Amino acid sequence: MSSPLVSYSDLVSATAHDVRAAIRTGAYSGHTAGLAAGKLQCNLAILPERYALDFLRFCQRNPKPCPLVGVGDTGNPMLPTLGADIDIRTDVPKYRVFRDGTLSDEVTDISHVWADDLVTVALGCSFTFENALLRHNIPVRHIEDAKNVPMFRSSIALSPAGPFGGQMVVTMRPIPLAQIDQARDISAKFPQAHGAPIAIGDPHAIGITDLGQPDWGDAVDIKDGEIPVFWACGVTPQNVLLDAGLPVCITHSPGHMLIADVAEDAETTILNHD
């Protein structure tokens, strides 16, 4: 039974546990940007075990868009290294289910899709370093406007592995010119959350023609004195999985992340339960 709905503003000061609880009960299914400040947010890829090794090779070869932070046991929906009570079937606000390379469904619960051969792969998310930017008074426009971060297909080639390959997806944040160096230095301290930017300035240099038309997420204003800054994005593996045409795979919906109990600045993403 679903709980009474809660809004984004109701959860802004909530703990990671409480945000997941709201998601698990169906009370919240919105984006997670700016929620559970200080905790690691994760992109998600769930795929059959027979493809998992090649996918892990792909992540190792492309650490900027695919920073590996957690891997579940085959057939087990729990992720104890990221949170003692995390059930990957229910604890993400919105999922995308792909079958044979085609989007089959977008749902808030994947219990009916879960199977004994599935492996969960969790990847770092740029929402993590945004909290650090805000602490240093660097504006994050989509959070200011309560929007989802704008995401774009780029022309940046990825290193392939097995059936997995393609081009990188990037996020864009307008940063005041005087704060770009600081934003670069801050985000570089979070290599498990995409790290430093991959491009600054001209979007055409990385194959983006119109910043007002993101492929995912919401367009945001770029104010006078601001420069578009691009970071690698965890939607990248979604595209890669889609192009690989797997019989089934599951991802988060863009902007709708798994929130872990691991601190965003932890030395390791393996949670200590002692």
Side-chain angles (χ1 to χ4, degrees), residues 79-217:
L79 285 177
T81 62
L82 293 176
D85 67 335
I86 289 176
D87 186 332
I88 205 61
R89 298 170 296 185
T90 58
D91 291 4
V92 172
K94 198 174 294 181
Y95 306 82
R96 285 185 166 180
V97 181
F98 298 91
R99 299 185 187 277
D100 300 317
T102 302
L103 178 61
S104 171
D105 207 356
E106 192 168 45
V107 295
T108 57
D109 187 309
I110 56 168
S111 298
H112 65 292
V113 185
W114 189 260
D116 290 341
D117 69 333
L118 293 178
V119 176
T120 300
V121 179
L123 305 167
C125 169
S126 58
F127 286 178
T128 293
F129 70 69
E130 290 176 344
N131 297 320
L133 296 181
L134 291 171
R135 286 196 297 272
H136 288 82
N137 297 314
I138 297 174
V140 180
R141 185 64 31 74
H142 62 275
I143 292 180
E144 291 176 353
D145 296 345
K147 292 181 176 181
N148 198 352
V149 63
M151 294 162 266
F152 301 87
R153 301 177 191 271
S154 83
S155 57
I156 301 170
L158 300 163
S159 297
F164 305 112
Q167 286 75 44
M168 190 184 299
V169 175
V170 299
T171 55
M172 189 281 294
R173 294 164 186 79
I175 303 294
L177 180 60
Q179 293 180 294
I180 285 177
D181 287 344
Q182 186 183 20
R184 181 196 293 113
D185 293 344
I186 290 170
S187 57
K189 296 176 182 177
F190 297 90
Q192 295 177 119
H194 304 304
I198 52 91
I200 297 172
D202 183 11
H204 294 85
I206 56 172
I208 299 171
T209 58
D210 186 353
L211 291 179
Q213 296 292 326
D215 295 291
W216 300 272

Side-chain angles (χ1 to χ4, degrees), residues 4-8 11 19 22-32 35 93:
L5 298 181
V6 298
S7 68
Y8 178 88
L11 295 175
V19 175
I23 292 167
R24 185 179 305 139
T25 60
Y28 182 73
S29 60
H31 71 80
T32 57
L35 296 182

